[in-house]
Amino acid sequence: MDHGQTAATQGSRIDAYVDRYAARATGMVASEIRALFAVASRPEVVSLAGGMPYVTALPLDVVGELVADLVARRGPVALQYGSGQGDPHLREQICEVMRLEGIDAGSDDVVVTVGSQQALDLITRIFIDPGDVVLAEGPSYVGALGTFAAYQASVVHIAMDDQGLVPADLAETIARLERAGRRLKFLYTIPSFQNPAGVTLNLARRREVLEICQRAGLLVVEDNPYGLLGFDGEPMRALRADDPEGVVYLGSFSKTLAPGFRVGWALAPHAVRDKLVLAMESAVLSHSSFSQLAVGQYLATQPWREQIKTFRELYRERRDAMLTSLEALMPPGCTWTRPAGGFFVWMTLPEGLDSKAILPRAVAERVAFVPGTGFYADAQGAGNMRLSYCYPQPDRIREGVRRLSGVIEQEIRLRDTFGTGSAPDHIGVDTPGPDLA
Ligand code: PMP
């Protein structure tokens, strides 16, 4: 080998390898918005962009003791490989958590995953060939859209209103795609406190959606990380509670405990469960025993239902701070959803305003949000933005909304002076960074 070869020569070798990426890698695109979020994460910027749970509300000292105790007492198990399906005791505990949403399931049908994000990845991996159709609410969770793109699925959106996805549109879309000979694989839905829209599928529609999917022989993937974070009354009945054979349910401890443990799960009919375990083993051999046992220990020894109540009250106060200040400050023509739980408000801007174009100006005014286009697979959403209230304190939320309303007022003045559609600054959201979760 000629050691005189330059870096440039080596660079061209890399180019050749890069040319050989699998076709699916083209679906994995970095978010142009990340650079901006580096700025947005400065302390002077109020971020209404991130979906980060407020883990500071946890009894961190207790969690710390619990983890230390776990290593001291059960180190040889906690620090060892585990089973591909997940710790049997934790799977029992997960069934107890799911009972709060009317689900009656055996721990044998649960697969523990690295957050529900990995469950999404595994489900997509075992069902999707390039070009297969996934139906998903429009808008939908950016991390799911990224996964579907990575497996070259074709995402077709189903309309939503303030009661969740519209069953008539679901039925029509299925019929239209079947007539066109498309291969439909599953409906991906976030029925409760949807990310990003903040809306919840009402009970009557839950039945309708299940009936439509049963008639069409279409599997439902129910993604439910926020289900226990409702602000009024009891948790909604999960879709899975009424159709154990037709629904794969995805759950997570990210929002009810902490995302740092990375513990989520899939509850699936036997045959699907078997494939999921195989896919899990091929992906990571087994989930972290340490994380699983820590979560199991937390559930066994701590008042976790009370902790969820603490989270609910904290997020309710923040939701109220956001809704009240939107009401007081946003200029006419802006509309938004009123979430009954979860983390997000979805805002619709006045005609002719583009949220991507507004973002850099908003960051200059020290407030950040996520533009709506990232939540669609088909470039809709320019007139929308996602505002999250989960992380900032209520007075910061009020200040953030005040800054944002000033920016939007200014945009409206520009629109009225120069006509509609100031050129967007080429910002797209394609894959989720932690900020976009
Ligand atoms: N699904 C939805 C709807 C989400 O909002 C998120 C994270 N914000 C996830 C799945 C993934 O969460 P995790 O992997 O932390 O369980």
Side-chain angles (χ1 to χ4, degrees):
M1 159 127 195
D2 176 3
H3 292 282
Q5 273 186 338
T6 60
T9 323
Q10 286 184 11
S12 66
R13 277 177 57 208
I14 297 287
D15 288 346
Y17 303 146
V18 164
D19 277 349
R20 291 174 210 159
Y21 278 145
R24 78 183 75 87
T26 48
M28 303 173 189
V29 266
S31 164
E32 291 171 56
I33 213 167
R34 282 203 179 146
L36 202 69
F37 276 110
V39 182
S41 59
R42 288 192 194 144
E44 66 272 20
V45 176
V46 177
S47 179
L48 306 176
M52 289 189 298
Y54 194 70
V55 290
T56 314
L58 285 167
L60 295 176
D61 47 348
V62 173
V63 176
E65 281 163 25
L66 183 147
V67 166
D69 181 63
L70 175 66
V71 176
R73 284 193 311 108
R74 301 189 61 200
V77 182
L79 303 179
Q80 190 51 273
Y81 287 115
S83 99
Q85 188 170 354
D87 178 65
H89 186 235
L90 177 62
R91 286 190 280 112
E92 296 281 354
Q93 293 169 305
I94 286 172
C95 291
E96 199 186 324
V97 174
M98 291 191 293
R99 263 197 283 283
L100 298 175
E101 296 172 329
I103 295 175
D104 180 17
S107 61
D108 214 29
D109 291 335
V110 174
V111 182
V112 183
T113 53
V114 181
S116 51
Q117 187 67 34
Q118 191 197 20
L120 263 169
D121 183 274
L122 299 179
I123 282 289
T124 313
R125 185 185 305 195
I126 67 178
F127 277 103
I128 296 297
D129 287 314
D132 287 351
V133 175
V134 172
L135 302 178
E137 287 129 357
S140 188
Y141 167 50
V142 62
L145 296 181
T147 301
F148 301 149
Y151 288 99
Q152 299 166 281
S154 160
V155 174
V156 177
H157 288 297
I158 308 295
M160 265 200 294
D161 60 22
D162 60 359
Q163 297 298 310
L165 77 79
V166 179
D169 191 48
L170 173 64
E172 275 160 32
T173 308
I174 293 174
R176 175 169 54 81
L177 293 169
E178 282 180 342
R179 275 197 307 276
R182 303 294 302 276
R183 284 192 316 261
L184 274 68
K185 288 297 174 72
F186 56 80
L187 166 70
Y188 168 71
T189 177
I190 308 157
S192 294
F193 322 124
Q194 208 247 13
N195 180 2
V199 299
T200 294
L201 190 65
N202 71 28
L203 269 181
R205 285 192 182 182
R206 283 179 191 236
R207 277 192 293 277
E208 274 183 84
V209 166
L210 285 177
E211 276 164 24
I212 292 166
C213 290
Q214 276 163 14
R215 267 203 307 278
L218 191 65
L219 181 72
V220 177
V221 175
E222 174 179 28
D223 188 8
N224 196 29
Y226 305 99
L228 298 181
L229 293 180
F231 305 142
D232 327 292
E234 292 301 302
M236 290 281 274
R237 195 169 165 80
L239 294 170
R240 164 60 176 74
D242 293 315
D243 188 1
E245 292 214 326
V247 179
V248 173
Y249 174 100
L250 311 185
S252 176
F253 288 108
S254 288
K255 278 83 190 185
T256 50
L257 172 54
F261 287 115
R262 305 306 299 127
V263 176
W265 68 91
L267 169 68
H270 301 320
V272 178
R273 180 231 29 219
D274 287 348
K275 276 282 185 225
L276 280 174
V277 174
L278 293 171
M280 180 72 190
E281 286 168 354
S282 98
V284 293
L285 293 183
S286 73
H287 192 301
S288 152
S289 306
F290 177 73
S291 269
Q292 291 183 78
L293 294 192
V295 172
Q297 191 69 4
Y298 170 82
L299 294 171
T301 61
Q302 300 305 310
W304 57 271
R305 290 179 182 80
E306 285 304 304
Q307 180 60 42
I308 294 176
K309 200 162 160 241
T310 303
F311 278 132
R312 275 204 302 262
E313 277 158 17
L314 184 131
Y315 295 134
R316 186 216 315 264
E317 191 193 356
R318 292 172 186 202
R319 185 267 325 248
D320 289 346
M322 178 165 277
L323 290 183
T324 324
S325 39
L326 286 171
E327 203 64 60
L329 297 167
M330 277 297 154
C334 293
T335 57
W336 52 87
T337 55
R338 287 168 177 74
F343 288 2
F344 308 110
V345 167
W346 182 247
M347 188 151 92
T348 304
L349 295 168
E351 192 65 28
L353 264 55
D354 182 325
S355 58
K356 271 199 225 174
I358 294 174
L359 182 58
R361 291 162 214 165
V363 170
E365 294 299 326
R366 296 166 297 129
V367 58
F369 59 83
V370 186
T373 41
F375 303 98
Y376 288 93
D378 58 7
Q380 298 179 65
N384 300 99
M385 55 178 67
R386 189 190 76 177
L387 303 177
S388 63
Y389 49 81
C390 46
Y391 200 75
Q393 307 277 357
D395 57 335
R396 295 282 287 167
I397 292 174
R398 283 187 277 271
E399 176 58 19
V401 171
R402 193 188 64 72
R403 292 175 190 173
L404 184 60
S405 66
V407 173
I408 294 175
E409 271 164 13
Q410 169 75 5
E411 288 293 315
I412 294 173
R413 276 196 293 278
L414 284 171
R415 179 200 64 184
D416 293 345
T417 315
F418 300 109
T420 57
S422 49
D425 294 354
H426 300 294
I427 292 165
V429 183
D430 304 304
T431 53
D435 239 347
L436 307 182

